[in-house]
Amino acid sequence: MANNCIQTPRRKSDSQAGAALFIDKCFLKLEIGLKEISGNLWFSLLILLLFDALSNPYAGIVHDARLYALQALSYIHPGRYAQDMFIQFNSQDSFTVFSPVYALFIKMAGLTTGTHILYMISKLLFFTGILLFFRELCRNRTIAFTSAAIVSLHDLQSVFFYINESFLTPRLAAMGFSLLALRGVIRSQTVLPLFFLFCATLFHPIMALGAG
């Protein structure tokens, strides 16, 4: 009886130590996994795009995407939509290269597929800018990847629009270019920041203002 009473606390202590050891091993494996993922830029971007696709799936031609699609179609068929009020009274379209670029994808793959392809390219540019900016800001690839992953798992809705949008707009590409410009500034570069800022301005002048 006495022996059983003495051994009980020891058993509890052993089980607690085993649980602590198991948790430590899990965290160690997680840390090693994150280091391996974050060490490879393209694999990191693939994971970020996968996270984004699962948590913030492509919504199609909705919201502002409808207006940008109309502008691109108007670029392809100038007279067809001339009476539309949005086209008739002009818009910011004359200040960007987005409609000609969008129109090229529509010509190559059709409206639905072309929109989706350009959306995926814009997302890739968006997350490339985010990841490289965080890498330069944090100087730690694991922290940078984790920060970018948090962005990919949320739409980051603001008062007026979504930052991590699930539909095609020039804002995605402009933000990607803007973040690449800011990364260059952190690295004390001159030419590349100006180049990326110029690209951001070509897609969306207002979004480029923040980086300027």
Side-chain angles (χ1 to χ4, degrees), residues 46-81:
L46 181 63
I47 296 296
L48 291 175
L49 289 172
L50 178 61
F51 284 170
D52 181 66
L54 292 173
S55 62
N56 192 30
Y58 176 59
I61 304 175
V62 297
H63 300 296
D64 287 1
R66 291 177 293 184
L67 299 177
Y68 290 110
L70 177 62
Q71 289 176 166
L73 290 171
S74 179
Y75 186 86
I76 298 171
H77 309 288
R80 185 177 296 179
Y81 305 98

Side-chain angles (χ1 to χ4, degrees), residues 9-179:
R10 189 178 297 171
R11 286 175 183 173
K12 287 184 179 179
S13 178
D14 290 344
S15 63
Q16 288 173 352
L21 183 61
F22 175 75
I23 293 171
D24 286 342
K25 285 182 178 179
C26 289
F27 274 109
L28 181 61
K29 288 182 179 180
L30 178 62
E31 183 181 358
I32 293 171
L34 283 173
K35 282 184 178 179
E36 289 180 355
I37 293 172
S38 59
N40 187 311
L41 176 63
W42 291 108
F43 190 53
S44 296
L45 288 172
L46 181 63
I47 296 296
L48 291 175
L49 289 172
L50 178 61
F51 284 170
D52 181 66
L54 292 173
S55 62
N56 192 30
Y58 176 59
I61 304 175
V62 297
H63 300 296
D64 287 1
R66 291 177 293 184
L67 299 177
Y68 290 110
L70 177 62
Q71 289 176 166
L73 290 171
S74 179
Y75 186 86
I76 298 171
H77 309 288
R80 185 177 296 179
Y81 305 98
Q83 299 305 313
D84 188 281
M85 290 184 65
F86 184 71
I87 301 298
Q88 190 175 6
F89 293 100
N90 224 328
S91 63
Q92 65 186 31
D93 189 47
S94 57
F95 300 101
T96 77
V97 298
F98 185 70
S99 286
V101 172
Y102 192 0
L104 180 64
F105 279 84
I106 293 175
K107 287 179 180 178
M108 290 190 301
L111 176 60
T112 303
T113 305
T115 301
H116 200 171
I117 293 172
L118 186 55
Y119 167 81
M120 290 304 300
I121 294 172
S122 299
K123 278 282 185 171
L124 178 61
L125 181 57
F126 176 67
F127 282 111
T128 299
I130 288 174
L131 183 58
L132 292 180
F133 174 75
F134 279 140
R135 276 188 175 190
E136 199 61 39
L137 189 66
C138 303
R139 300 299 176 92
N140 183 304
R141 293 187 174 186
T142 303
I143 295 175
F145 173 76
T146 305
S147 302
I150 292 171
V151 175
S152 71
L153 292 169
H154 200 276
D155 54 26
L156 300 177
Q157 184 180 7
S158 65
V159 177
F160 298 106
F161 55 84
Y162 299 91
I163 296 174
N164 183 17
E165 295 170 309
S166 60
F167 46 89
L168 178 62
T169 75
R171 292 188 288 267
L172 287 169
M175 284 187 286
F177 281 126
S178 296
L179 287 167

Side-chain angles (χ1 to χ4, degrees), residues 181-207:
L182 290 173
R183 172 180 179 257
V185 171
I186 296 173
R187 302 183 74 175
S188 300
Q189 296 174 333
T190 304
V191 177
L192 276 178
L194 290 174
F195 170 74
F196 286 127
L197 184 61
F198 176 69
C199 292
T201 305
L202 287 177
F203 275 83
H204 200 293
I206 297 174
M207 297 305 295

